[in-house]
Amino acid sequence: MLPKALDYESLNENVKKVQYAVRGELYLRASELQKEGKKIIFTNVGNPHALGQKPLTFPRQVVALCQAPFLLDDPNVGLVFPADAIARAKHYLSLTSGGLGAYSDSRGLPGVRKEVAEFIERRDGYRSDPELIFLTDGASKGVMQILNTIIRGEQDGILVPVPQYPLYSAAISLFGGSLVPYYLEETANWGLDINNLRESVVQARFKGITVRAMVIINPGNPTGQCLSEANLKEILRFCYQENLVLLGDEVYQQNIYQDERPFISARKVLLDMGPPISKVVQLVSFHTVSKGYWGECGQRGGYFEMTNIPPQTVDEIYKVASISLSPNVPGQIFLGLMVNPPKPGDISYDRFVRESKGILESLRKRARIMTDGFNSCRNVVCNFTEGAMYSFPQIRLPPKAIEAAKKAGKVPDVFYCLKLLEATGISTVPGSGFGQKEGVFHLRTTILPAEEDMPAIMASFKKFNDEFMDQYEDYRGYSRM
Amino acid sequence: MLPKALDYESLNENVKKVQYAVRGELYLRASELQKEGKKIIFTNVGNPHALGQKPLTFPRQVVALCQAPFLLDDPNVGLVFPADAIARAKHYLSLTSGGLGAYSDSRGLPGVRKEVAEFIERRDGYRSDPELIFLTDGASKGVMQILNTIIRGEQDGILVPVPQYPLYSAAISLFGGSLVPYYLEETANWGLDINNLRESVVQARFKGITVRAMVIINPGNPTGQCLSEANLKEILRFCYQENLVLLGDEVYQQNIYQDERPFISARKVLLDMGPPISKVVQLVSFHTVSKGYWGECGQRGGYFEMTNIPPQTVDEIYKVASISLSPNVPGQIFLGLMVNPPKPGDISYDRFVRESKGILESLRKRARIMTDGFNSCRNVVCNFTEGAMYSFPQIRLPPKAIEAAKKAGKVPDVFYCLKLLEATGISTVPGSGFGQKEGVFHLRTTILPAEEDMPAIMASFKKFNDEFMDQYEDYRGYSRM
């Protein structure tokens, strides 16, 4: 019998090539163990609410009211909802044509896109045009759409940081392009060296690949570093010289845990640089409600903003967005609320500030506890998490462990992470899922477990790591001294 | 200066090739006119709430409570929400791990997939496996994912009905495959003649195209026909003989406006047929909360169910779904509510039945009013809308109108629809956006305007059409007799 179109051997090869470790072998094993009754700590994905973070009250009140517009006429509504939430729900409903149940324009609700533009203006000090802002079902969908627009075939290269968030490698595989890696410097706190970039482009050209775009993740995922203004300038100058579109993944812009390098958007730096660069470099910037102190991952709200993209291209992107009609409307409202939160004097302002500050301050503490915890472990070194939601320690695996992994048919860091999972229930992602230099091994964990659970989790990690190193290190007495 | 990656000339050619008329030239012009203050009746897209359909109360209550879980502890919650909505909200929250703000599994919440499987079992009389059901951000996203999995290049053909809903042509262009049309018979109430199918496959083969899959839309969009069991059997036998995957777009399964041919799923017919066919033919079926009497388009909730798809392929589909993490969780809850509505004896049952019956009965009346309205117009003939949400009248354009269109640089039916829009504010989609036989012209309109507005809309259409025909018909006196 001939193979059928959905038999494995006859599937689209690009689909088969896709790898996505954040929900790969480790996650699947963790899900199995959970089914068997084992307690799993899912730190494989930045999913704050799954680890107990409470949603911010005000935005949930507003969206709940938008879902139940009949409550707005209920005489008892004031008993369960504050007046400013009621007013905001009316505002957002007035921006829709038919409430949350109606498709919006495929770019998202014009009124919400206006709120996003105003937010960007306040943040960057430059006018932003709502017509160049598209709302999406989470930032990932936007990234995928832009990559699909750019990539024509395997001769098209995309510069991606290594280690990287595997959305990029996965989407590039799916669309049949070529990933061109540039390495972040672990010894320089995961900094970006512009000379590495040049070398990557030259090497790609040598293989017949034209690099067309460059991805930056700022703050970094999985590496947590925050790019300085000087570094961003170098990157933009490089994009100008090499004729590259810059894709700025800025979804962690609210997650900053140090004061030396506050977040600065690629767009602000670009416009600060003035012509010709500011008029020429094509930039697409991404943001989301899934991260920050919101963590509203399940709502799937995001946007991208385009700078220096010609109108004809914007029309093409609009056309393709139209095929799936519209991003989900509740997610759009969350995005509006994120960029336009309660203001001083509003009834809900104090509560909103208290809740969001509480989350951010706790994340900052957890970033510190985790870095220190990892650095106190044998054969583990870890840069401080300057931003984002992850810790990315290097695990110096002894040769015997690498051999044992080989025997088990596993990549060494997968081997380590599986053992960690079985022993402790901590579900991480091996560094190989993000890319790392040859012979160097990492794991990624989120910093999201509840603050009060952190000491126990780090103790459990330390105990496992000690036993692992005891088992596989040759001169255990020596290296413990 | 060299073109940049997001300049029009250097975009992915497949992106440029995409056409999506439902939000194409007519929609864009309608949006402009609306901005200028003209009253527009948006019948271009099946978007019931945008035309005044009220959401069903019970599901909205449940999802509102899921968005605001803090209300569940509020002593006043019973004043604004019925007890069964509160209970159901608790049920759905218990199926999540972290509420609506947490990513779910990339296939959707296991508990909701179980409810979907139970619904399918009740509907078809055959066991359904939740592991073969994936929840999606609306049905379109699922269709796109499956087509992307199947299509490897332009030598891969997909049989698509003509006229078709342009999601299919657009997605096939985007993924670089070949659309292989099969024509529905307008004179046989848009029936599907199996001989046409064979001929289409032969012709495709002649061009070097291997047909790998076939799409059916049942009930039909834009044509409204309901497929009979006998017809479905022929189709499945044909898929078996030709080794085709069947994609069953069944999003209008609740929208049936005649009693002779109730909806019957492709899956039930397949399993009824017994081996070998029932064990071999690969089928993917799609459904959504956007249609039916729900019309919750903006929530973006859908699912697909796979039959006879091997586990290794299911794993690949799961992997690709993982890249965008999870479908939106509120949309998943709506889907759960759709497949598991209130039961007799529940507090909200009577209201739910009253509301949903009201919508369906009114749609049935509107389908009739619209068909009769069109058939009363000069040079317009229209099949009855047996199901779905659309009317697809044929407009017999006089040669002079076709000439005038040519002079204006427009496709003739685009010309007609633009004039209709400017004169009446009725925003339709030209038949050319769906495909039609050479020299034959149609338009698609939804049957969704409010029942009480229908007579005025049809009168306005008739007046426009009379004037149009007066202007362009040679022997106006004659053909009016």
Side-chain angles (χ1 to χ4, degrees), chain A residues 1-8 10-13 15-20 22-23 27-28 35 45-47 49-50 55-57 60-61 63-64 66-71 74 76-77 79-81 97-106 131 137 140-141 144 146 148-152 165 167 170-171 174-175 212 240 243 245 280 282 284 290-291 295-300 308-310 312-313 316-320 322-330 334, chain B residues 1-8 10-13 15-20 22-23 27-28 31 35 45-47 49-50 55-57 60-61 63-64 66-71 74 76-77 79-81 97-106 131 137 140-141 144 146 148-152 165 167 170-171 174-175 212 240 243 245 280 282 284 290-291 295-300 308-310 312-313 316-320 322-330 334:
Chain A
M1 189 121 199
L2 283 171
K4 294 181 281 290
L6 282 172
D7 285 348
Y8 181 78
S10 56
L11 301 183
N12 177 353
E13 287 298 326
V15 163
K16 293 194 223 171
K17 273 183 216 153
V18 166
Q19 294 197 334
Y20 188 71
V22 171
R23 294 214 164 168
Y27 169 75
L28 297 174
K35 264 195 189 162
V45 54
N47 195 7
H49 292 204
L56 300 168
T57 306
R60 288 297 192 97
Q61 289 169 327
V63 176
C66 290
Q67 283 288 12
F70 35 83
L71 287 187
D74 191 305
N76 291 320
V77 67
L79 296 175
V80 284
F81 290 98
S97 48
L100 303 193
Y103 295 125
S104 70
D105 186 275
S106 305
E131 298 292 303
D137 286 308
S140 303
K141 286 282 168 66
M144 292 177 81
I146 298 297
N148 193 17
T149 309
I150 293 175
I151 295 172
R152 299 164 301 183
Y165 175 51
L167 159 65
L174 188 62
F175 302 132
R212 307 189 81 213
Y240 175 69
N243 206 25
V245 174
V280 171
Q282 298 185 330
V284 186
S290 300
K291 310 301 168 184
E296 290 280 10
C297 302
Q299 313 281 358
R300 312 312 290 122
N308 295 326
I309 311 296
Q312 225 184 336
T313 297
E316 292 295 303
I317 295 171
Y318 185 12
K319 180 184 72 181
V320 171
S322 299
I323 307 174
S324 33
L325 294 158
S326 82
N328 87 82
V329 179
F334 273 104
Chain B
M1 188 119 198
L2 283 170
K4 294 180 282 290
L6 282 172
D7 285 347
Y8 181 78
S10 56
L11 300 184
N12 177 352
E13 287 297 327
V15 164
K16 292 193 221 171
K17 273 183 214 151
V18 165
Q19 295 197 333
Y20 189 72
V22 171
R23 295 215 164 167
Y27 169 73
L28 296 175
S31 301
K35 264 195 189 163
V45 54
N47 195 7
H49 293 206
L56 300 168
T57 306
R60 288 297 192 99
Q61 289 169 328
V63 177
C66 290
Q67 283 287 12
F70 35 83
L71 287 188
D74 191 306
N76 291 319
V77 67
L79 296 174
V80 283
F81 290 99
S97 48
L100 303 193
Y103 294 126
S104 71
D105 186 276
S106 305
E131 298 293 303
D137 287 308
S140 304
K141 286 282 168 66
M144 291 177 80
I146 298 298
N148 193 18
T149 308
I150 293 175
I151 295 171
R152 300 164 302 183
Y165 174 52
L167 160 65
L174 188 62
F175 301 133
R212 308 189 82 212
Y240 176 69
N243 206 25
V245 174
V280 172
Q282 298 185 329
V284 187
S290 300
K291 310 300 169 187
E296 289 281 10
C297 302
Q299 314 280 0
R300 312 313 290 119
N308 295 326
I309 311 296
Q312 224 183 338
T313 296
E316 292 295 303
I317 294 171
Y318 185 12
K319 180 184 72 182
V320 171
S322 299
I323 308 175
S324 33
L325 294 159
S326 82
N328 87 82
V329 179
F334 273 105

Side-chain angles (χ1 to χ4, degrees), chain B residues 269-297:
Chain B
V269 177
L270 175 62
L271 298 181
D272 280 351
M273 289 172 85
I277 293 187
S278 65
K279 297 278 188 204
V280 172
V281 172
Q282 298 185 329
L283 169 68
V284 187
S285 309
F286 302 89
H287 198 10
T288 181
V289 301
S290 300
K291 310 300 169 187
Y293 38 88
W294 291 68
E296 289 281 10
C297 302

Side-chain angles (χ1 to χ4, degrees), chain B residues 176-218:
Chain B
S178 290
L179 186 148
V180 178
Y182 65 91
Y183 287 90
L184 303 177
E185 270 309 320
E186 184 160 16
T187 51
N189 212 21
W190 296 115
L192 188 166
D193 181 347
I194 210 84
N195 294 316
N196 286 348
L197 282 179
R198 275 184 226 291
E199 207 180 296
S200 297
V201 171
V202 170
Q203 283 187 10
R205 211 169 277 148
F206 200 71
K207 293 181 197 157
I209 293 167
T210 308
V211 179
R212 308 189 82 212
M214 170 175 177
V215 174
I216 54 172
I217 311 175
N218 179 36

Side-chain angles (χ1 to χ4, degrees), chain A residues 158-221:
Chain A
I158 312 289
L159 269 175
V160 173
V162 172
Q164 54 113 20
Y165 175 51
L167 159 65
Y168 295 95
S169 49
I172 293 167
S173 295
L174 188 62
F175 302 132
S178 290
L179 185 148
V180 178
Y182 65 92
Y183 286 90
L184 302 177
E185 269 310 319
E186 184 160 16
T187 51
N189 212 22
W190 297 116
L192 188 166
D193 182 347
I194 211 85
N195 295 314
N196 287 348
L197 283 179
R198 278 186 223 291
E199 207 180 295
S200 296
V201 171
V202 170
Q203 282 187 12
R205 210 169 278 149
F206 200 72
K207 292 181 197 156
I209 292 167
T210 307
V211 178
R212 307 189 81 213
M214 170 174 177
V215 173
I216 54 172
I217 311 176
N218 180 34
N221 174 5

Side-chain angles (χ1 to χ4, degrees), chain B residues 218-275:
Chain B
N218 179 36
N221 174 7
T223 45
Q225 85 288 2
C226 297
L227 295 177
S228 68
E229 188 175 349
N231 213 182
L232 281 164
K233 274 191 183 156
E234 286 184 301
I235 293 166
L236 284 159
R237 210 171 290 120
F238 176 76
C239 289
Y240 176 69
Q241 290 158 351
E242 297 288 341
N243 206 25
L244 306 181
V245 174
L246 185 63
L247 305 186
D249 179 337
E250 301 179 333
V251 299
Y252 297 102
Q253 60 188 269
Q254 293 177 322
N255 297 96
I256 306 288
Y257 313 122
Q258 40 74 40
D259 302 317
E260 300 80 50
R261 256 165 296 123
F263 171 76
I264 178 164
S265 77
R267 182 170 176 276
K268 176 172 168 46
V269 177
L270 175 62
L271 298 181
D272 280 351
M273 289 172 85

